[in-house]
Amino acid sequence: MPVTDFTVKEKYRYQNGFDCYHETEAIAGALPVGQNSPQKPPYGLYAEKLSGTAFTAPRHENRQTWLYRITPACSLSPFRLEEDRKTAADAFVEKSFHYLPDQFRWDPFPAPTTPTDFVGGLQQVAGAGDPTLKQGLGIFVYAANTSMDVRSAFYSSDGDLLIVPQDGALDIRTELGWMLVRPLEICVIPRGIRFQVLMLGDSNAVVRGYMLELYQGHFQLPELGPIGSNGLANARDFQIPVAAFDDDDDKKSTATQDGSSYVIRTKVNHRVYRAVQPHTPFDVVAWHGNYYPYKYDLGRFNVIGTISFDHPDPSIFTVLTAPSEHVGTAVADFVIFPPRWLVGENTFRPPWYHRNTMSEYMGLLTGAYDAKKAGAGGFVPGGGSLHNTMSGHGPDGPSCEAARNEPQPQQPAKVGAGSCAFMFETCLMLGVTDWALKATQSSEEGSPSVLQHDYVTHSWGKLPRFWQRPEGAGSADSHLLKE
Ligand SMILES: [Fe+2]
């Protein structure tokens, strides 16, 4: 079955279909029929429109959702800048990126030692562009050991959030419903949608993962071109929450009834602001539209590859893409390297050596990546690497030598069994944050850096030399015109 066998079993219902128009009611009859804004919506609900594109965006891009809720989102106190240093504000305020030509690789970033929720555990690693201009993206890691308060919610005003869990399942409540998101699943929470991340099971467990914040546009499925009408990530495999709501008058509500306020936090231009409101933000009884959170099981990705020789460009592994103004050029691609068969013959099977105009941030969800050695000091789950625009990279020496020495004829081989690496790729030059350059493995004095300073030396410092100059061939002046 091309479905991941998750340790944590599913507990929610979903609607299926990427970029489809969905409608859902937690109480039958809560959606008005035939119009969006009746004088009195059913059951005394308010109608509230949430738009993800300009009203006048062309139909194929236009995204909006109508919410039918107990109290509109506008009913809250003024926002104040979040001063609590345990929140992510410090990371978000970090706008002085370092633009560097080097190749970088990191060990897993440290787990929190004090109670830290999803928002407090976000740290920015790299980024490009400017959320105030709705251009570019941010790349983050998160590590948390505590649920967000059940009387709190967070939303990004800066962009859509693509969350990629590496360790630990996330129980995510959004205004539009619940999603269980486990390692080897991803989810996207669009700009403006309020959500809460809860832990499952052991309250001391640490959850860890990666996040891409997309400042411009929205993710799409990549075009399939000659592949045809199916393949890669198929639209029907994306899962969208069904409506679910809390009611402050309901004594069975998951929120406590102590009369305290709900805290709403939002990220605006890298800073976190906080407001309070006396009512739950999770009070949407029904909604209809095409602007919503969704999740996807990476095990359902239909991998395409060569069946003759020379593997295709890794764009063949694109799950989601966010296009720039230039056709075929992405502000952000989300690309995975899942288990797959390699059957190409007389072929160098790992990634070839390359320098790309696109910038590549890679992470590893589980297992070992076939182009890099695993284990301590290598590319390990929870770690990351960055190959910025035009920085050269490729397999490390041992991986290269092993691939070149594969006996002929090359036999079909399954690579990546039990493994999944991924890449956030962008056409933009990525800046690296101070935090990513200076983070250490623990808070103890003298703790080693998370940044692997010997990455380049270890990977490519001693690449074997295979060159064999044919006897008598060529000369140093072969490019010169002869008399
Ligand atoms: Fe690459």
Side-chain angles (χ1 to χ4, degrees), residues 45 96 135 142 171 188 190 245 251 328 356 399 419 455 467 483:
L45 296 168
S96 54
Q135 293 176 346
Y142 70 83
D171 199 11
V188 171
F245 70 99
K251 300 305 178 199
N356 290 342
S399 303
S419 151
Y455 169 45
W467 162 245
E483 288 289 319

Side-chain angles (χ1 to χ4, degrees), residues 16 66 117 119 128 292 315 440 473:
N16 296 333
W66 283 91
D117 68 13
V119 179
Y292 42 66
S315 44
T440 53

Side-chain angles (χ1 to χ4, degrees), residues 314 351-352 354 356 360 362 369 387 391 393-394 423 425:
W352 48 68
H354 56 287
N356 290 342
E360 305 173 9
M362 281 192 69
Y369 178 55
H387 303 119
S391 78
H393 55 289
M423 181 161 65
E425 189 175 49

